[in-house]
Amino acid sequence: MQRIFFFFKFFVWFSLRNLRQHPGRALTVLVGIALGAAVFTSVRLSIHASLDSFNRSMELISGRADRVLVRPGGRVPEQLVAELLKHPLIETVSPLLSIYIRPRRPNSDPFFLIGVDPILDRSFRSWQIAGKSSEETDSWLKLLKDPYTLIIAERLARDHQWQAGDYIYLENAQRTAQFQIAGTMASQGLALAEGGRVALTDIATFQEFTGEYGRVDRIDLRFKPGVADRDLAAIRKILPDGVILSSPLAARESGRGMIRAYQLNLSILSFASLFVGMFLVYSLVALNAASRRHELAVLRSTGGSSYLLLLVFLAEGAFFGIGGWIVAIPVSTFLVKYLLHGVSQTISTLFVRVQVDTISLGVWEIALSFGVTVLISVLAALQPAREAMQVSPKEALAVSQHGMCTKKSSRNLALTGLVSIILVLPLSRLPGVLGVPLPGYFAFILLFVGFSLLIPSLLVHMGNWFSPLIGRFAGVTAYLAARYVRDSGTRTAVSVGALLTAVAMFASLVIMIHSFRQTVEIWAYQTISGDLFLTPKLNEINQFRQPISAPVADWFQGLGDELDFDIVPNRRYFLSYDNFPFEFEALDLDVFLKYSDFFWMEGEPDRIRPRLRRGEGVIISEVFSNRTGLMVGDTFSTRIETSLVELPVLGVVRDYRTQGGVVFYSLEQFKARYHDPHWSGLRVFFRDRNQDLEAAVADLRKKIVERWGGDLDMISGEALRASILRVFDETFAVTTVLLLIALVIAALGITTTLTVLVLERSRQLNMLFAIGADFGQIRSMIFWEAAFMVVAGELAGIVCGFILSYLLVYVINRQSFGWTFLYGVDWGALGMSLPLIILTALAAALPAIKMVFRQPPAMLLRE
């Protein structure tokens, strides 16, 4: 204990006192570390809040069921409830229906309506009526006695300013009806599902409101004590065709898997900002170790051990980590407000719907954020600390020391860097581990390490090659700057490495986003083609479970000949294949292929199209193929309602629809071979493609509204494709913010390095002044040093970024999400942004330039 106390006392006396004398340096490093830690913490908090919200909703809605009965793509007969209640293995059951509905008012948001049997369901899901009076607590009985009554969560009541006794109009795909609010649920249990935007009604009212008579979404089961999995065969024997026993949390597990893949990718990206901040710590600790070398020798000569010096400089790194993390906490509270919206919106768009209402800062997240930040800072200080412990006591007798004596060969570092870069290729070809692209991430890190080790050699060669040329055109100050950067050692290389990391991340993500966007754009205009898309209202949010009514379908077929257009009806089912969610879409391929086409990847389209029309097989999306392992020639098998569908895979296509993969099949052949699936939507193609399509679409929409009012949701093809691209841009908005922060931290690295170099060479610079150089020439030399560092970092970063973009497009995205893109480079964006990065980094040199003559030259020369 006494040794620990002595060490802290010594650390305060030796290190903190020195940092207090140079507050600008310490503040710069603290800001850099704080930004990196704030980004890392905010991203993880945002994703965990979304994941926790999703988990909580799924668990609250699933309740305490042991198993659930479902029919993939369809609904379960309600008469099974009575039969199951008599079964000797089953203790109790509860039927359940759910749907998203909305108030009948402009721009109202949907909320989640659950239909239950209030008596049977009480043992499955917990919810409590708000209020203390007997009338309030007994309000749930009105669900049984009075039709079209509901109980709403307190959060939903506050949002709409509803209260018990109010009459409200609600609408779904089938109809609009008036409901009376019987009471409110206290903010606990089921009332917390969907972020509190939830309501309960009696199952009979639900069925009448939606038209789902005699059918339920699922039946929850509770078994008697002692029932094992082997006993479930007796229950399966009484189930109708297509009804299966499933885990109550199967949907939760598939959704969690997709969210966690997104979480890992965004966490790695946010870690880049912290990684760039690591260079700042290295630079300052290296400065302290180099500039105080004589003091270290004196300490060694007076009995200080080499391990004491090692621990002191490691403690400096830890100090910056702890201080940066403390500063990061208030920054995180501001940043998380922006990131939470962007992250939750992206998860809702790409994977599963989430409603985030609270953010909880768990002990694990605090510990992880603190541990990663401090660990990164200590690792950054390790190399300077090791050099410090090698100081010999005899150096105390030397008159002066300028920097560390140990110097690694740039050639050896370059060879190590080349080996690291070469290893990236075999690593990138290894498969992911449990769906996580771990080899890809290792290749990712190894690439940065390799290029960072190449930097010293790059600076040496740039100084040798360009110093005579640039000296001839830009003068002696540029020549001296090039020579000094060449000879400046590891510290300059480290700051260039920080800029390299930020530029590589920037360039690779610009390339990946451009590649992704141009591929999505081709897909949208090729496969998501059509002049007008229609579906029953609120059908998309309810996964297209409500079919278009027969009168609407007949009316459209008759109107097509009158207005000279063709329709492509479809039916979309949201299913699961080995716990991987996917969408089965049956559509009229004859008309679709007349106006559009798929975005083919594998297979010969000219041979596949006729077979696809004849119903001889299916085509699957790239995502579905990568995540399930099914390839061309394999057999696709799934159960849809009462039918078992088993068909060969004919081809693989690109498809960027969200929430899993897609399987396509002929609607007519599905109806002929299996059952009538009914239409869940349709798209319209006008036969005359040379007419004013915008006017034709407007005229058709007018006729639809006149005939069917607001029963159908409509969107023009142009608006739909524009919304797809807008969602894409919004999805990557978070990525852009993280990149900008990484670039800011890299600019701080340039500032720190140049300041360090100026302070280290203050006597040299003033000696130049004494022998005839003026202030402008010396400042010009500092500026040229910054220019060389920035150009070196930019060049290496661009090369590293191109390789990194390949890893992102063809390895990490494929293993994480299952999709790849057509590789393309946005030369315009890179051409405009990279000079801006150079100017920003050069602007970071201004503080160092101002410090050149902070003290009078005569005073320094006298010393």
Side-chain angles (χ1 to χ4, degrees):
M1 192 67 185
Q2 187 176 3
R3 290 185 177 183
I4 296 175
F5 178 76
F6 168 76
F7 175 78
F8 278 108
K9 186 176 180 180
F10 178 78
F11 175 74
V12 171
W13 172 78
F14 183 78
S15 294
L16 295 188
R17 188 177 63 175
N18 180 62
L19 292 176
R20 190 172 56 189
Q21 292 174 357
H22 307 283
R25 308 182 206 172
L27 184 61
T28 301
V29 176
L30 283 175
V31 169
I33 289 293
L35 282 174
V39 169
F40 181 77
T41 305
S42 301
V43 165
R44 289 194 60 85
L45 284 177
S46 300
I47 297 178
H48 271 283
S50 300
L51 185 60
D52 289 344
S53 174
F54 172 74
N55 286 338
R56 184 169 64 248
S57 291
M58 297 299 291
E59 290 170 357
L60 291 172
I61 294 172
S62 298
R64 293 180 288 274
D66 295 322
R67 290 288 190 280
V68 296
L69 291 179
V70 295
R71 173 174 276 165
R75 290 184 169 86
V76 180
E78 189 180 10
Q79 60 264 29
L80 267 177
V81 173
E83 190 173 353
L84 290 168
L85 283 171
K86 300 174 185 177
H87 199 282
L89 299 178
I90 296 176
E91 181 177 304
T92 186
V93 302
S94 177
L96 183 140
L97 282 153
S98 62
I99 192 175
Y100 287 97
I101 62 174
R102 67 187 176 204
R104 194 186 65 178
R105 60 174 67 164
N107 302 319
S108 57
D109 293 327
F111 63 88
F112 199 56
L113 178 66
I114 302 175
V116 295
D117 183 315
I119 296 177
L120 289 177
D121 196 69
R122 290 311 291 253
S123 62
F124 286 85
R125 276 159 283 273
S126 61
W127 47 277
Q128 186 70 39
I129 298 297
K132 298 181 180 179
S133 67
S134 58
E135 182 179 352
E136 288 175 319
T137 56
D138 292 340
S139 59
W140 68 273
L141 293 173
K142 295 182 180 179
L143 298 183
L144 294 171
K145 297 188 298 182
D146 303 328
Y148 287 92
T149 54
L150 51 77
I151 296 174
I152 61 175
E154 285 184 326
R155 163 75 184 277
L156 186 62
R158 288 197 308 269
D159 289 348
H160 292 277
Q161 297 183 342
W162 292 336
Q163 55 187 357
D166 287 352
Y167 287 89
I168 58 176
Y169 282 92
L170 303 175
E171 61 181 12
N172 68 358
Q174 300 296 326
R175 58 178 296 199
T176 298
Q178 186 186 61
F179 282 79
Q180 184 184 24
I181 300 174
T184 58
M185 289 184 287
S187 296
Q188 62 186 49
L190 192 59
L192 299 177
E194 289 286 317
R197 299 184 59 80
V198 63
L200 290 178
T201 191
D202 179 61
I203 198 166
T205 295
F206 191 107
Q207 290 172 327
E208 185 176 347
F209 180 49
T210 60
E212 296 295 336
Y213 297 102
R215 302 190 300 171
V216 295
D217 288 343
R218 74 186 204 204
I219 300 176
D220 293 353
L221 308 180
R222 289 273 299 279
F223 299 137
K224 291 182 178 178
V227 175
D229 289 345
R230 62 177 179 273
D231 302 321
L232 301 184
I235 298 176
R236 292 189 177 96
K237 290 180 180 178
I238 67 171
L239 300 181
D241 288 342
V243 177
I244 62 173
L245 271 173
S246 177
S247 167
L249 294 176
R252 186 194 73 171
E253 294 307 315
S254 62
R256 284 180 62 181
M258 292 189 291
I259 295 175
R260 288 196 182 280
Y262 176 68
Q263 175 190 25
L264 186 57
N265 280 274
L266 204 57
S267 295
I268 293 293
L269 179 60
S270 65
F271 180 76
S273 296
L274 199 53
F275 182 73
V276 173
M278 177 180 179
F279 292 103
L280 299 179
V281 176
Y282 177 95
S283 181
L284 187 54
V285 175
L287 166 66
N288 291 339
S291 61
R292 307 183 72 188
R293 187 177 183 89
H294 188 71
E295 297 176 46
L296 300 179
V298 171
L299 284 172
R300 292 283 286 115
S301 65
T302 56
S305 68
S306 59
Y307 289 102
L308 174 64
L309 303 187
L310 175 72
L311 292 175
V312 164
F313 286 103
L314 289 181
E316 279 195 18
F319 171 79
F320 285 117
I322 295 170
W325 183 80
I326 293 173
V327 176
I329 297 302
V331 178
S332 299
T333 58
F334 168 78
L335 193 59
V336 76
K337 294 178 182 178
Y338 170 81
L339 290 177
L340 181 62
H341 173 73
V343 167
S344 62
Q345 187 178 47
T346 298
I347 292 174
S348 295
T349 301
L350 294 182
F351 309 118
V352 292
R353 182 178 174 85
V354 295
Q355 290 279 356
V356 183
D357 52 344
T358 58
I359 295 180
S360 58
L361 190 61
V363 176
W364 163 247
E365 284 303 315
I366 295 175
L368 179 66
S369 172
F370 178 81
V372 169
T373 305
V374 175
L375 178 63
I376 284 292
S377 301
V378 171
L379 289 176
L382 181 59
Q383 181 58 33
R386 290 182 60 190
E387 292 185 0
M389 71 181 295
Q390 295 171 6
V391 173
S392 172
K394 66 181 181 181
E395 293 185 24
L397 301 176
V399 176
S400 64
Q401 290 289 340
H402 300 286
M404 289 293 179
C405 295
T406 59
K407 183 177 180 181
K408 294 187 177 180
S409 168
S410 62
R411 180 176 298 177
N412 293 337
L413 292 176
L415 288 175
T416 307
L418 284 175
V419 171
S420 300
I421 295 172
I422 291 171
L423 289 175
V424 167
L425 180 61
L427 264 178
S428 65
R429 294 181 178 273
L430 295 177
V433 180
L434 299 177
V436 179
L438 290 180
Y441 287 131
F442 284 131
F444 194 98
I445 296 171
L446 206 58
L447 188 65
F448 280 132
V449 171
F451 271 90
S452 297
L453 293 177
L454 286 176
I455 288 298
S457 182
L458 176 63
L459 292 175
V460 168
H461 286 87
M462 283 183 65
N464 288 331
W465 294 340
F466 294 110
S467 56
L469 181 65
I470 200 168
R472 188 177 304 121
F473 289 99
V476 68
T477 56
Y479 175 83
L480 291 175
R483 288 291 182 174
Y484 184 78
V485 170
R486 182 195 67 178
D487 300 330
S488 58
T490 309
R491 196 175 313 115
T492 301
V494 166
S495 288
V496 175
L499 184 61
L500 177 153
T501 302
V503 171
M505 291 291 296
F506 179 85
S508 62
L509 285 168
V510 166
I511 293 171
M512 187 205 74
I513 293 171
H514 175 72
S515 301
F516 198 174
R517 196 183 196 282
Q518 74 170 4
T519 309
V520 169
E521 192 169 357
I522 294 171
W523 165 73
Y525 280 89
Q526 186 165 312
T527 303
I528 312 298
S529 57
D531 299 316
L532 186 64
F533 290 75
L534 302 100
T535 187
K537 60 186 175 184
L538 291 170
N539 213 18
E540 182 175 5
I541 195 174
N542 287 303
Q543 297 188 330
F544 298 94
R545 301 184 69 182
Q546 297 295 328
I548 291 177
S549 64
V552 174
D554 294 340
W555 183 80
F556 268 101
Q557 288 176 319
L559 189 65
D561 292 332
E562 177 186 338
L563 296 183
D564 195 35
F565 64 76
D566 290 324
I567 61 173
V568 179
N570 66 7
R571 179 59 194 265
R572 298 165 70 173
Y573 293 97
F574 286 77
L575 307 169
S576 178
Y577 190 98
D578 291 338
N579 288 329
F580 175 67
F582 76 99
E583 186 178 332
F584 184 92
E585 181 172 359
L587 70 163
D588 188 334
L589 290 172
D590 289 330
V591 180
F592 174 78
L593 292 174
K594 178 181 176 182
Y595 295 96
S596 304
D597 200 359
F598 296 103
F599 199 165
W600 298 94
M601 278 193 67
E602 296 180 23
E604 299 181 26
D606 291 337
R607 289 187 178 184
I608 295 174
R609 291 188 194 100
R611 296 185 63 191
L612 198 58
R613 289 190 182 101
R614 294 193 297 267
E616 296 178 9
V618 298
I619 56 174
I620 62 177
S621 70
E622 176 195 20
V623 175
F624 187 81
S625 175
N626 289 335
R627 297 301 293 270
T628 63
L630 289 180
M631 305 293 292
V632 175
D634 293 340
T635 300
F636 164 77
S637 177
T638 192
R639 182 169 289 278
I640 302 177
E641 295 186 296
T642 57
S643 302
L644 178 62
V645 178
E646 292 184 328
L647 294 162
V649 176
L650 302 179
V652 179
V653 297
R654 295 185 188 273
D655 194 283
Y656 299 97
R657 228 167 293 190
T658 57
Q659 301 182 7
V662 188
V663 176
F664 296 97
Y665 189 59
S666 166
L667 180 65
E668 290 300 318
Q669 295 298 328
F670 188 95
K671 182 177 179 180
R673 296 184 179 210
Y674 303 109
H675 63 267
D676 188 353
H678 305 291
W679 302 355
S680 61
L682 60 89
R683 67 179 84 179
V684 172
F685 289 95
F686 285 96
R687 295 167 187 158
D688 182 6
R689 310 304 298 169
N690 296 320
Q691 65 175 310
D692 186 348
L693 294 176
E694 186 176 343
V697 168
D699 183 55
L700 177 57
R701 294 181 70 144
K702 181 179 178 181
K703 290 182 179 296
I704 294 171
V705 172
E706 289 175 351
R707 176 63 181 85
W708 300 105
D711 292 344
L712 298 172
D713 284 341
M714 295 178 285
I715 185 171
S716 69
E718 286 296 326
L720 176 60
R721 290 182 284 274
S723 68
I724 290 172
L725 297 177
R726 183 173 62 253
V727 167
F728 175 89
D729 294 335
E730 292 173 352
T731 299
F732 285 97
V734 173
T735 304
T736 303
V737 172
L738 301 184
L739 280 175
L740 292 175
I741 291 175
L743 289 171
V744 169
I745 297 173
L748 289 175
I750 298 294
T751 302
T752 303
T753 299
L754 288 173
T755 303
V756 165
L757 295 178
V758 167
L759 293 172
E760 258 192 333
R761 297 154 50 208
S762 59
R763 288 181 175 83
Q764 297 177 23
L765 297 176
N766 282 279
M767 184 64 71
L768 289 175
F769 176 76
I771 62 176
D774 60 31
F775 289 172
Q777 288 177 314
I778 293 176
R779 290 191 176 106
S780 174
M781 185 174 67
I782 302 298
F783 185 82
W784 276 108
E785 289 174 10
F788 270 96
M789 293 168 59
V790 171
V791 169
E794 187 110 19
L795 290 175
I798 289 294
V799 177
C800 180
F802 272 88
I803 301 174
L804 185 60
S805 67
Y806 179 89
L807 290 177
L808 289 172
V809 171
Y810 294 109
V811 179
I812 292 177
N813 271 292
R814 184 179 184 275
Q815 293 180 3
S816 295
F817 305 112
W819 52 41
T820 58
F821 339 113
L822 299 176
Y823 192 88
V825 181
D826 188 355
W827 295 106
L830 284 178
M832 292 183 62
S833 57
L834 295 180
L836 292 177
I837 295 174
I838 292 177
L839 292 175
T840 303
L842 290 178
L846 295 177
I849 293 173
K850 291 181 179 179
M851 292 184 66
V852 174
F853 296 110
R854 189 178 61 176
Q855 290 183 324
M859 182 69 69
L860 289 170
L861 291 176
R862 186 180 68 180
E863 293 176 0

